[in-house]
Amino acid sequence: MKGLIVATVTPFKDDGTLDLDAIGPYVDYLKRSGVDGFFINGTTGELSLLSFEEKLEVATKFLSLTPENTIVGIHENYPRQAVKLAKEVMDRGAKYIASLPPVYMRPSDKGIVQFYEELSKLGVPVIMYYYPKRLGYEISVATISKLVEEGLIDGIKYTTSNVKDFYFLMKALKGVRSDFLVYVGDDVALLYGLSLGADGAVSGIANIAPELVRELMEAVKQSDLKKAADLQEKINDLIEAVDYADYPTAVKEGLKYRGVFVGPSRSPLLLSNTASSMLYETMKRLGL
């Protein structure tokens, strides 16, 4: 899967319970916006606040609506639980799965390899979700290259604003396997990552500005880097407004301004009135 993959939110009701009925209109909005795929149960989907059962419920709903182009996050630290959840979502039609390495506990390189080895046995493409800032540790290029060389992962969502790190990791992994998929995972790095040859982007800001992200991707494809840079600047303005609040509360607020209602984020994530106003003014100025 290549192109623009939106990092989806998880809709909640005001009491904090899942709002599965809101997923249909939300998916319709994103499809009309021209996104190429969906990355569910990730950071933007508040993965750390979802139980095993809730991840499965969310996956079941998305897969019933868009099974062919949905990457399902099955993030569980314990490999047996990760495999169990992966099998459940595969039974519901999942064609791709994604997982962070184990968080908080710092496994050895051998342990990381074993973790993805278990997932690779399931027979569907596995996307590694590599987000060092949230993960709490870094994984060497050599170890990730080993995962690629042994066929344990088929792609990577690399969330970093460090363009140098992104470039050298992508170069190393593409050197091991030319068809290995590399996705830009940080919206600040869209222009740089795509210009360097990334296969696509998993974008949170595309929830509220899918047209800007698509235009940027097309501008890069057409080698119109001046236009792409102008679009990146607009996207950066949105990112600044979104980052003023607990993530992803402002993403959900932005969706509301676009007429898509997905409810609030779960406690303890909060959206201040200041952040809401800043986002509204930024979106208004950008014509969104």
Side-chain angles (χ1 to χ4, degrees):
M1 191 189 307
K2 298 183 179 182
L4 174 53
I5 302 167
V6 64
T8 61
V9 302
T10 299
F12 295 114
K13 298 175 183 177
D14 289 340
D15 64 1
T17 57
L18 290 177
D19 187 357
L20 298 177
D21 291 337
I23 293 177
Y26 171 48
V27 167
D28 288 343
Y29 154 75
L30 291 172
K31 285 184 173 181
R32 290 195 304 271
S33 301
V35 305
D36 299 301
F38 304 83
F39 188 101
I40 71 171
N41 292 347
T43 303
T44 308
E46 302 174 54
L47 70 94
S48 64
L49 300 177
L50 297 176
S51 68
F52 181 102
E53 292 75 19
E54 287 172 330
K55 291 174 189 174
L56 181 56
E57 287 185 77
V58 171
T60 300
K61 185 63 176 182
F62 271 97
L63 290 169
S64 72
L65 299 167
T66 178
E68 298 300 324
N69 55 351
T70 297
I71 301 171
V72 180
I74 49 93
H75 319 288
E76 292 283 336
N77 281 348
Y78 184 31
R80 187 174 295 178
Q81 285 288 92
V83 168
K84 180 181 178 182
L85 181 54
K87 287 180 177 178
E88 292 276 10
V89 300
M90 287 170 61
D91 286 344
R92 289 158 174 78
K95 305 295 192 296
Y96 309 85
I97 59 174
S99 182
L100 288 159
V103 299
Y104 185 71
M105 305 299 291
R106 173 45 169 118
S108 64
D109 290 347
K110 183 177 180 180
I112 291 170
V113 171
Q114 288 180 347
F115 179 84
Y116 284 100
E117 186 175 30
E118 291 300 312
L119 296 179
S120 72
K121 294 175 183 178
L122 297 170
V124 294
V126 177
I127 309 301
M128 181 184 191
Y129 181 7
Y130 183 39
Y131 194 170
K133 183 178 178 180
R134 300 266 182 162
L135 190 59
Y137 61 90
E138 295 189 3
I139 303 171
S140 69
V141 174
T143 297
I144 300 176
S145 295
K146 181 179 176 67
L147 294 172
V148 178
E149 184 177 0
E150 296 189 3
L152 305 183
I153 58 174
D154 302 278
I156 187 169
K157 177 197 175 200
Y158 186 18
T159 303
T160 179
S161 58
N162 188 315
V163 180
K164 180 180 178 181
D165 285 352
F166 186 93
Y167 171 73
F168 282 110
L169 180 61
M170 181 172 67
K171 182 178 180 181
L173 302 185
K174 290 284 191 180
V176 175
R177 183 176 143 193
S178 61
D179 65 343
F180 184 78
L181 295 169
V182 179
Y183 301 119
V184 180
D186 191 326
D187 287 310
V188 171
L190 286 170
L191 170 59
Y192 307 104
L194 294 167
S195 298
L196 291 170
D199 297 288
V202 178
S203 170
I205 211 70
N207 280 286
I208 56 179
E211 52 273 82
L212 295 184
V213 180
R214 285 214 67 87
E215 285 184 52
L216 185 153
M217 296 180 81
E218 185 60 28
V220 171
K221 186 178 180 180
Q222 299 298 327
S223 299
D224 189 347
L225 297 186
K226 172 62 170 64
K227 181 179 180 180
D230 290 342
L231 288 162
Q232 182 70 71
E233 186 174 353
K234 292 178 180 179
I235 290 168
N236 289 350
D237 287 346
L238 271 178
I239 294 169
E240 183 179 2
V242 165
D243 286 349
Y244 200 79
D246 296 346
Y247 192 83
T249 59
V251 172
K252 289 184 164 182
E253 186 77 350
L255 280 165
K256 183 178 74 174
Y257 294 150
R258 304 275 335 230
V260 182
F261 299 93
V262 291
S265 289
R266 269 187 170 166
S267 176
L269 302 178
L270 300 175
L271 174 70
S272 68
N273 290 333
T274 301
S276 180
S277 298
M278 181 184 297
L279 178 63
Y280 178 81
E281 291 301 324
T282 301
M283 291 179 67
K284 183 178 179 180
R285 174 163 49 82
L286 295 176
L288 297 173

